[in-house]
Amino acid sequence: MNRKNELEQKIQMLEQKVVSNTSEMVSVQADLKIAKKQLEDINKPELTPLQFDLIQEAIEKGVDEFDFDDDGNYDKEFGINYDGKVHLESLDLTCTYELVEMITSRVHKLFTEAECPEEDDNSQVNNATHVEKVI
């Protein structure tokens, strides 16, 4: 009977350890997810809430300018049901690049482009002065 009690206690301790390790694993996974997100965001420029609002507004204006009512912007396929009714089988937006251009031009108006040094630019070279040791 003593052996049975020992085994039951051992099982309880192991179950508690499993619960403890599981909660620790969940915590470590959450920390890992946060660290990965921080690494992903490390080189992104920071924007203020106002800038995010301006970007959203620019996107909305770009979408509003697109003529969704122009049927020339779509590829359409029609079909006929078994009862003779015509139906639209598929509708594909064909000029998505125009929509993207409208949105992009609106967003670009919010920013100025930074000057980036060219790769062959020698202006980044350090000019060290000549130093002599005199004894």
Side-chain angles (χ1 to χ4, degrees):
M1 199 88 142
N2 194 14
R3 179 79 175 135
K4 181 180 176 184
N5 288 339
E6 287 176 10
L7 287 174
E8 286 175 347
Q9 286 178 349
K10 185 174 182 177
I11 289 172
Q12 271 187 330
M13 287 182 1
L14 290 172
E15 286 175 343
Q16 288 173 352
K17 195 171 186 179
V18 166
V19 169
S20 172
N21 287 341
T22 302
S23 64
E24 184 178 335
M25 183 184 69
V26 169
S27 174
V28 169
Q29 285 177 333
D31 292 345
L32 176 62
K33 185 177 179 180
I34 290 169
K36 284 182 177 181
K37 178 68 173 151
Q38 288 172 339
L39 178 62
E40 181 182 312
D41 292 345
I42 196 85
N43 291 324
K44 290 182 182 178
E46 292 183 359
L47 299 175
T48 65
L50 174 62
Q51 290 167 325
F52 276 112
D53 290 344
L54 291 172
I55 292 171
Q56 180 176 350
E57 186 177 305
I59 292 169
E60 288 172 357
K61 286 181 182 177
V63 170
D64 286 344
E65 289 175 4
F66 186 77
D67 188 7
F68 286 98
D69 293 331
D70 182 5
D71 64 351
N73 291 333
Y74 303 94
D75 280 338
K76 302 166 280 301
E77 286 187 32
F78 296 97
I80 297 179
N81 287 338
Y82 64 93
D83 59 355
K85 292 182 181 177
V86 176
H87 68 277
L88 184 61
E89 292 225 1
S90 70
L91 180 69
D92 294 321
L93 183 63
T94 57
C95 44
T96 55
Y97 82 94
E98 289 177 12
L99 178 60
V100 169
E101 280 297 315
M102 287 182 174
I103 293 170
T104 303
S105 69
R106 285 288 184 168
V107 171
H108 282 186
K109 289 178 185 178
L110 298 174
F111 302 98
T112 57
E113 191 169 341
E115 293 286 327
C116 294
E118 293 183 19
E119 302 233 357
D120 294 331
D121 189 7
N122 291 332
S123 64
Q124 299 290 326
V125 176
N126 285 336
N127 292 324
T129 58
H130 179 70
V131 177
E132 288 185 30
K133 183 176 180 182
V134 179
I135 299 180

